[in-house]
Each structure stands twice: as structure tokens, then as C-alpha cells.
Amino acid sequence: MKVTAEHQGHVVVMSLRGNLLGGPDADAFYNEVKSYLDQGSRRIVLNLGDVKLMNSSGLGILIKTLKPVREAGGDVHLACVTEKIDSLFVITKLYQVFKSFPDVEQAVRAFA
Amino acid sequence: MTPSGPEPARQAKAGAGSGDDVLDDLRELVLRLEQLHSSQPATDSQALPAWLLHARQAREELAAHARRLRDLIEPARTLRENRLLREIGRRLGQDLSPESLALLIMDTLGGVVPFDAAGIYFLDPRDGTIRWESLRGYDTDKLHLVRQKLDRGIMGWILKHGQSVIVPDVRVDSRYFNARDRTRSELVTPILHEGRMIGFFNLESDRLGTYGEQERLLMEVLASQVAQTVEHMVLRVDREERRRVLADLKVARSIQRSLLPNRGLRLLDVEVVGLNLPSAEVGGDYFDHFHITPQDIGLVIADVAGKGIAASLIMASVRTGVHILAQHRLDMTGIMGHLNEHLYEVTEADSFVTACYGVYNRESRRLSYVNAGHNPPLLMRARSHAIESLTTGGLLLGAFRGAVYEMGVVELEPGDRLLFHTDGLNEATDRQGMEFGMGRVRRSLSESRWLDAGALVQRLLADLRRHTGMGERATRFQDDLTLMALVCRDNQPGDRQV
């Protein structure tokens, strides 16, 4: 999995590409989010448009990511969730805790 | 050669002690002559007394002999050290435990290179961390600092670079991490096997400049001598550990089997049959059916995120929780709330459980259920052939505090079939990566309208085997697989097994 990140104002937009299946990739992603938190960024958009596969470990890492961001008074917005991943969020009812937006722009704007 | 040259001195000393002693005496003699010479005024050599000219000549010849003697002594020293190394090699030929091997090497080390404190470390090939160690000469209350040297000190540097390091004065080397105040010089040498670092030595001395190129070479020879044995020991220990773990896993599997129903529930009015096939010895899936009262049957399916031992332990925790809470007749949403809080406490931040808990009342043929983020059970109606998804409930368990759950209720009629499953069914892929998918699950279910619960489960398993190409007798798939089917029959409630 590859992660690219850019700042849009006070929001960090992280674009994930490939498979989110746990393991070292997921740990690296989590640590990157933590480093943004340490730098004071508390508004994070995760662009999942190019995530092909996600399993329960991948889901677990998103849950793990949300916790410290929320505790720091911030939030994680999801953007461009594909149909396959959307069904995972629907089944697990994780949309009760994650806000999801059709595109990055709306996900960023929702922080305003 | 003049009569006053070094010959008599050499003869006199030969055989009196080692070559090192002779060399030391010669050096001292040369030094005294140097002092005598330098105390004389520097004048034209013609004006010098004859004895001083002789002394000068003797000094030069002595120095030349000293050089020749060093050339003779060095191979002898190397020979002695080689004998020592061969001795180590001989003793290392036995199958030793990591602790005994480290101790043996440490015992031998003092005879090779001087040290005031030393450590030998064997690395774990899986993650490069220290797996075993043996230390000498450190204060017991500072052993935690020795550990920190691995991250921050010269030992940390060698872990990254895999090359020997000589530090003549640790006080002026920024890489040195102080775990011992008296240390003045240090030598760290990697133990390499086929170019891979499998361990290292760390020697510390209270004197400045104790270690030079010769000590480095010697330690590298020693390291190469022990490398094969260390590698052999690591492989042997790994083999033994694997054997032990496999034996433990077999026991764990048998315990886990005992936590699942050992047979289906077949009553006149309702039957429930389940199947659990872990993808490894133990798994994180769980299904259960049990009488809460003679009329109420508890039904559970759960999937712990992840696989293996950790998942199986959480699965056991879920089972205990469900049974205790169900017996206390807690309402179903309360049961899920309690389970959520309990799992939140006992699991890691990225761990969670999806579960569906239901209670089937035989009198009313009513199924009450709470679906906590689990793949919705499918209810196929006998009359309409429609398939309903049972989604009412709430968030998956163990990830967030304070989740609130709702209860769903469905009335069943004779012939209705209910299928609980984990994602090991719909997410199983064929060789091209195509998932079995919910479409095929529904189709299999639709085509099983006349089958009893046991046959329905077997039909789904057969369809899955066909799709995945795993073979007609396959009992392991990519993921843990759990199925549980309930069939509502046309009879009045009775408690008799059929």
C-alpha cells in the first residue's frame, strides 16, 4: 500500500493506494497519522478511492487511527469509498463513527 | 656484528620466559642506551669517545634485532591464539542451549582478548532484536542501561552497519552510550553468517586504547569460529520451538473444539446445525446454540478480527461472556452492550469482533436478535422464497465504548430457513481471485429449499469447495469458515431429540 499526503489548509489529505490488509504497511500508515497529530494536525481526510482490497485487519487499522485523532479533539473523514469497502462499513455499522463523503473536496469542506 | 652487539643479551634471555619477555628486555636496553646517548652533547662523531660510538652501534643493532624478534614472536602468538580458537571450536561441537553456548563463549573470551565488561548477543533472525544474551562485568542495577545501548550506543550503530568498531576512548566518541562509568575503551564485533549478522560481541575495558587492529582481527576470527555453531543452535532451537508450538496448538484446537457444540440440535419443531473450519489449527470464528430455557434457544455467530491464537483466545472470551450473560436473562441489547465494553477492555485498539446473537422462542416461533456489525444472517421464507437480511443491531464489538444496540424481531413459519455465516463464506475466492460473493450464497440457499439444516450446511460447503477449487474434501480455506443453519419445522414444540 502507498500513502501520499498533502495539506489543504488545516486539513491533511492522505490518499491510500493498493490493499489495506494490516501488517507493516498498516502500521506505517498509523504511525504517519500519529506524526501528523504530533505536529498539531487533527483534521484528516482519508481518500480510499484507490484502495482495492481491505480486510478486517485493514478495518482495524482505520479504527485504531480514529481513536487518537478523536482523543486529540479532531476527526477522520473518509472520501471516495468504493462499493466493496462501503459494504464493509455498512455491515459493521462503522458509519455510526466514521463520516463518509463522495469526494475529497466535500470531505475537506465538512471540516470548515 | 660487533662484540658489544645484542647477541649476548639475546642468548642470555633465550629460554628464560616467553618471546614477549625478551622483547621487553631488549626494548628497555635500547631505551637506556638512548637516554645515555641523548645525555651526551651533540658534537662531531670524531670527537666522541669510542665507547659511545660502540653504544650507538649497539643501539641500532639491538633495535634491528628487536624488530626481527617481533617478527618471530607474532606468528607464535597467532599460533597460540589459533590453538585457543581451535579449542573453542572443539567445545562448540556439542548441542548446547543458547544460555550454555553464550556462557561457554564468554568463559573462553577472557583467554583471547582482555576485558573488564563484556556481552555476547544472539539476534532473532525474524526481527533483528536480541534473542539471547550473556553479560559479564556490568553492575546489576545498570543492566537496563546496557539494554539501552542496543538502541542508542555503539552496539546500536553496529546493528545498523554490521562492521566491527574500535573505540580507543569512549569519552570522546559521540556514539558511546554510558552504561558503565569505568569503561574507557570498547570493541564491538559482529558475528556474521553468510553475510547476515546473527549476533555480536561487545567488550569494554577500564583502560584507554585497550583495543587495536590485532584485537579486532582476533575477535573477528573468534566471531567466524562461533558463527556456524550459533546459526546451528538457532535453527535447532527454532525447530524445537516449532515442535512445541505445534503440540500446544493441537491441544488448543482440541480445547477450542470443545467450546463449540459437538452436534446439532435436532428437535421436532426446529433444528440447528453448525460447522466451523478454521484456516489454521485454531481460529477466531465462533458459533453456538444452547438452551437458555426449554423454550428459548440461544444462537450465536461471531468472527474475531484476525486469525490464530490471539483470535481464538478472544473467541473463548466471547463464548464465556455470552453464556454467563444469557443465563442471567439479561435483555439482548444489554448483553451486547456488556460484551462490547468487556471486549473493549481486553482487546487491542485495532481488534474487534462482529457477532450476531439471537434467541429463538419455540412457542411463538419468534426470533429476537441483535446484529453487532456481523454479516447479516439470511432468512429464506418457505412461502414466498424471499430472502431477508437480518441487520438490526449496532456497531461491531470491542472497538468503541458506549455503543448502543437495537433488537430486531422476526416471526418464523414452518419451512423457513435461517443461515448464519462468517465472511469466510462470501469472501472466499477462486483461483482468479473472484469471490464466492453474497449472490452465490443466496443462490445456494434458494436451491436448498427442501434440505434439512445439516444438508443445507453441507450443500453450501460443497458449493464453496467447487468455487474455490480446493477439492471435494477440503476442510481448510483461506479464512476461517463458519456456517450455522436453523430450519423451522412443521411440528409443535417438543423437547425430544429426533
Side-chain angles (χ1 to χ4, degrees), chain A residues 20-23 26 29 53-63, chain B residues 352:
Chain A
L20 188 50
L21 304 173
F29 162 70
L53 276 178
M54 184 156 77
N55 62 4
S56 58
S57 301
L59 212 53
I61 211 74
L62 293 185
I63 291 169
Chain B
F352 60 85

Side-chain angles (χ1 to χ4, degrees), chain A residues 10 15 20 24 27 48 58 60 64 67 71 79 95 100 103 108:
Chain A
H10 294 300
S15 299
L20 188 50
D27 291 339
L48 302 180
K64 188 179 172 181
K67 284 180 189 173
E71 279 164 16
Y95 282 138
S100 182
D103 55 51
V108 171

